[in-house]
Amino acid sequence: MKIYLDGAFYSESEAKISVFDHGLLYGDGVFEGIRFYGGGVFRLTEHIERLFDSAKAIHLPIGMSVEEMIDATLRTIRENELRDGYIRLLVTRGVGGLGLNPYLCKKASVIIIASKIQLYPEEKYTAGLKMATCATRRPTPAALSPAVKSLNYLNNVMAKVEALNAGADEGLMLNEQGYVAECTGDNIFVIRRGRISTPPVSAGALPGITRDTIFGIAEELGSPVVEESLTRYEIYTADECFLTGTAAEVIPAVELDGRPIGDGKPGPITQQCMKLFKDSTISCATPVYT
Ligand code: PXG
């Protein structure tokens, strides 16, 4: 595997960063997870633009343009001769002192890894996931905007620990007010009497790119997604539920806190969204090889 690091490619064992990088010392940096299918990168510009927005929000100058970042991403896939896989792109604050001051970090570091990812076993896509509500809440925007995809995922990791310890596959995260925000690495949708809804970004959801793709799909199905406040009640009593994320794609969720959602099986609208999502991964792609 060849890894992009600040403009050059290194083998896995040679791709190294400093122990004084503030990405490591403080989780000070941002990232993206991007998929590519059949030699085309899915919604690449949107991912890179979200990365730049995250960086802007934490006052981190990347030192590259959006176009240069797109080019570096495509080069990394070509360098590894891949057609299908997953990109993990990180921008760290760079090397600085043993103090918080980010202005002492002279230059951001850019790391691009092109590999594979399987978040959930294949059978979960047909049987559906079990979810458990986490006591760990989504951080309030009064601390850090949940829209920033930062390198500090400790809150989500703690929520994932809770879900796994409860015997569930995924954790449902509420915001400070107790409304549903999202899951630990995925957005959530519920379907009730044909109405597809998802929490608004203001409830603590990441503005997911897969989420946005579902908005387009639902529009085509003639049943546009409604962004509305949801509590656990709406999930317990929904007909169907599914989760979305770059790594997870679209996956059914069939249980929350020991209660079956609907009849406890993936529903028809969920299955339709899964299929249409797969179709869209081909049509919304930036070609890697020309
Ligand atoms: N919410 C959160 C908190 C995320 O981290 C999503 C929603 C879905 O957004 P996209 O744009 O991908 O549809 C994410 C992104 C992992 C992993 O290993 C998960 C994400 C990114 C990278 C890795 O679980 N999810």
Side-chain angles (χ1 to χ4, degrees), residues 50 86 88 119 149 153 156 182 185 206 208-210 245-246:
R50 186 172 65 180
Y86 177 82
R88 177 60 60 90
L119 219 51
K149 233 170 130 54
Y153 255 51
N156 299 54
E182 57 180 347
L206 186 85
I209 287 167
T210 320
T246 297

Side-chain angles (χ1 to χ4, degrees), residues 138 146 153 156 171-175 179-188 199 203-208:
R138 266 305 262 172
Y153 255 51
N156 299 54
L172 181 74
M173 299 188 75
L174 310 176
N175 66 19
Y179 289 99
V180 172
E182 57 180 347
C183 291
T184 66
D186 311 301
N187 292 113
I188 186 164
L206 186 85

